[in-house]
């Protein structure tokens, strides 16, 4: 499957350019929409993250964000707060208002009914049910519509939603922590801790923004992870274990499903006794015809997930990359040297024989976290 280029346009015919002068105030209000939308990270799948701000005479009179699928959309909350002040006002929203009936009525009709004078949209919705339709409905009602304000930031906010819509798969994010010499553990297998507390806290927060986190059986055996956000105020992802043979320990933290749900994916007929034991513990066990990263992501898409964090070892990481199920990479690099000819590395064999075959990350950024560095980038798009 192709990786999704964040700055590409899903439909050039439907993407509407900015049609009037954009002011710094417009950009500030759109950033506020993004800030509001971000409050629901990890809670809206398969829906996007959306925030809305209503302004009358230069003052904010209403705000809102979409809290979860099935709940009212951001525009509805903002209109409720603004009340009569909505009439003749400008509403800012980071994603095009919907124009179709789903679990909630179309927001475009609510805006027309409220009598807003202007709608400033961050980006066109890539969903074919919406794309361009909401904007066209608003313009047909005589409402001024400006599209493309802070678009790059709006697309970044909803990169998982966009990828899911365009490719019918969740966005795959590979995360790993390694030493300066590229090791994820010592030769003995000991790996606590490669990185600093600051980096680990960042990962805990990252998990809370993802719908699922995946590991293989070896990670369960060697690390016995919790794979939670470690914060009672933040959501936890679905914890997913891939294991063909169900060769798994009985004392794993992942079987404590009172903290977060756990799903074990395996193949038919594997270790029926352990399967039954896990199910009694509240662990969901699903048998797939073929247990590959590609099949796992297809299954998680059917479960309505949008973003999946791969926190696995090198062998499974290499398989996930080769299968085209990883689009984004987050590498935490600690200023440590552990050495070891057989110490494990974050990515196993990719079958690349020369340095010129190496996968070069694109749109790379980096930041410092404590004593560590986080390098973030995207795998090249397959053509």
């Amino acid at each position: 499957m192709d990786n999704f280029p964040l700055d590409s346009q899903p439909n050039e015919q439907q993407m509407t350019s900015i049609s009037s002068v954009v002011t710094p105030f417009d950009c500030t209000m759109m950033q506020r929409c993004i800030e509001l939308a971000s409050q629901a990270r990890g809670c809206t799948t398969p829906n996007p993250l959306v925030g809305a701000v209503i302004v009358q005479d230069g003052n904010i009179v209403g705000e809102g964000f979409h809290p979860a699928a099935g709940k009212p959309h951001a525009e509805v909350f903002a209109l409720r707060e603004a009340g009569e002040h909505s009439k003749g006002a400008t509403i800012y929203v980071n994603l095009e208002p919907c124009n179709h009936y789903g679990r909630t009525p179309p927001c475009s009709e609510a805006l027309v009914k409220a009598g807003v004078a202007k709608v400033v949209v961050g980006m066109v919705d890539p969903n074919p049910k919406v794309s361009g339709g909401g904007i066209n409905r608003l313009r047909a009602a005589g409402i001024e519509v400006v599209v493309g304000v802070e678009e790059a930031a709006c697309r970044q906010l909803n990169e998982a939603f966009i990828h899911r819509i365009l490719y019918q798969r969740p966005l795959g994010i590979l995360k790993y922590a390694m030493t300066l010499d590229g090791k994820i553990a010592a030769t003995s297998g000991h790996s606590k801790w490669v990185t600093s507390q600051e980096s680990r806290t960042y990962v805990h927060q990252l998990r809370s923004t993802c719908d699922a986190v995946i590991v293989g059986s070896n990670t369960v055996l060697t690390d016995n992870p919790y794979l939670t956000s470690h914060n009672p105020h933040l959501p936890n992802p679905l914890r997913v274990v891939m294991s063909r043979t169900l060769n798994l320990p009985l004392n794993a933290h992942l079987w404590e499903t009172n903290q977060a749900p756990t799903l074990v994916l395996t193949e038919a007929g594997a270790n029926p006794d352990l399967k039954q034991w896990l199910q009694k513990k509240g662990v969901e066990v699903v048998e797939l015809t073929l247990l590959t990263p590609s099949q796992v992501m297809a299954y998680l898409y059917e479960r309505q997930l949008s973003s999946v964090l791969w926190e696995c070892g090198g062998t499974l990481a290499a398989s996930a990359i080769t299968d085209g199920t990883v689009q984004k990479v987050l590498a935490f690099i600690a200023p440590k040297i552990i050495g070891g000819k057989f110490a494990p590395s974050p990515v196993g064999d990719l079958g690349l024989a020369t340095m010129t075959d190496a996968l070069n990350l694109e749109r790379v950024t980096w930041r410092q976290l404590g004593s560590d560095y986080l390098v973030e980038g995207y795998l090249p798009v397959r053509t």
Side-chain angles (χ1 to χ4, degrees):
M1 179 179 56
D2 292 347
N3 295 335
F4 171 59
L6 187 64
D7 55 355
S8 74
Q9 309 299 336
N11 188 327
E12 296 290 348
Q13 298 298 319
Q14 294 173 330
M15 298 302 287
T16 311
S17 61
I18 294 174
S19 57
S20 63
V21 176
V22 175
T23 67
F25 181 79
D26 292 331
C27 295
T28 299
M29 290 300 97
M30 192 59 69
Q31 287 291 344
R32 176 58 180 161
C33 290
I34 293 172
E35 183 181 345
L36 289 165
S38 298
Q39 293 182 49
R41 283 187 183 275
C43 300
T44 64
T45 192
N47 289 358
L49 294 161
V50 184
V53 177
I54 298 177
V55 174
Q56 182 74 266
D57 298 325
N59 297 312
I60 295 176
V61 294
E63 291 185 332
F65 65 90
H66 178 50
K71 299 289 186 180
H73 290 184
E75 298 93 322
V76 174
F77 285 110
L79 288 170
R80 286 177 183 173
E81 186 174 288
E84 291 300 316
H85 296 292
S86 299
K87 190 171 181 60
T90 296
I91 182 168
Y92 296 83
V93 60
N94 59 283
L95 188 69
E96 174 186 5
C98 64
N99 192 48
H100 68 286
Y101 282 88
R103 282 187 275 188
T104 59
C107 291
S108 57
E109 295 301 329
L111 295 176
V112 171
K113 184 178 179 180
V116 301
K118 182 177 178 180
V119 179
V120 180
V121 177
M123 63 170 284
V124 174
D125 194 323
N127 189 338
K129 292 181 180 179
V130 182
S131 193
I135 292 168
N136 292 337
R137 173 67 184 98
L138 294 170
R139 286 180 172 157
I143 298 172
E144 180 186 356
V145 182
V146 178
V147 183
V149 176
E150 295 290 297
E151 182 174 355
C154 293
R155 295 180 70 81
Q156 181 70 47
L157 172 72
N158 275 310
E159 62 175 349
F161 169 75
I162 297 170
H163 184 85
R164 184 180 192 280
I165 289 293
L166 295 184
Y167 295 105
Q168 291 78 56
R169 291 291 185 276
L171 179 75
I173 306 166
L174 173 63
K175 165 265 163 185
Y176 56 81
M178 69 180 189
T179 60
L180 202 57
D181 54 338
K183 309 298 183 182
I184 61 173
T187 303
S188 66
H190 186 264
S191 61
K192 290 185 170 45
W193 297 101
V194 174
T195 53
S196 65
Q197 182 61 55
E198 290 87 346
S199 292
R200 298 199 297 276
T201 298
Y202 184 93
V203 171
H204 298 159
Q205 294 171 343
L206 174 66
R207 288 176 189 153
S208 74
T209 70
C210 294
D211 301 320
V213 55
I214 295 181
V215 295
S217 54
N218 285 340
T219 297
V220 180
L221 287 162
T222 58
D223 294 346
N224 194 15
Y226 288 93
L227 302 181
T228 64
S229 65
H230 292 256
N231 187 329
H233 304 295
L234 294 176
N236 285 313
L238 172 67
R239 303 176 297 183
V240 180
V241 179
M242 291 176 60
S243 176
R244 284 195 177 91
T245 61
L246 288 186
N247 177 29
L248 297 167
L250 298 180
N251 63 343
H253 296 308
L254 296 179
W255 314 150
E256 299 166 8
T257 55
N258 60 313
Q259 295 187 26
T262 300
L263 166 68
V264 174
L265 296 177
T266 187
E267 294 184 350
N271 200 340
D273 291 338
L274 182 64
K275 176 183 176 181
Q276 187 178 40
W277 183 87
L278 287 171
Q279 290 173 328
K280 287 181 179 179
K281 293 281 288 183
V283 176
E284 185 181 2
V285 182
V286 173
E287 296 178 346
L288 299 180
T289 304
L290 191 63
L291 191 66
T292 65
S294 180
Q295 290 299 312
V296 167
M297 291 295 260
Y299 173 73
L300 295 179
Y301 169 79
E302 293 299 327
R303 288 182 64 132
Q304 304 290 295
L305 305 192
S306 298
S307 58
V308 171
L309 184 64
W310 293 85
E311 284 200 57
C312 50
T315 301
L316 184 52
S319 180
I321 292 173
T322 302
D323 242 7
T325 58
V326 172
Q327 286 72 48
K328 187 175 183 178
V329 177
L330 278 72
F332 294 81
I333 305 171
K336 300 176 180 178
I337 296 175
I338 189 66
K341 183 176 180 181
F342 299 106
S345 61
V347 180
D349 186 14
L350 293 174
L352 305 178
T354 65
M355 191 58 68
T356 53
D357 294 328
L359 302 176
N360 290 301
L361 294 185
E362 301 169 347
R363 290 174 279 136
V364 176
T365 59
W366 59 271
R367 74 189 78 174
Q368 189 168 1
L369 294 168
S371 58
D372 308 324
Y373 278 93
L374 167 59
V375 177
E376 181 175 325
Y378 295 82
L379 289 174
V381 178
R382 296 183 177 183
T383 56

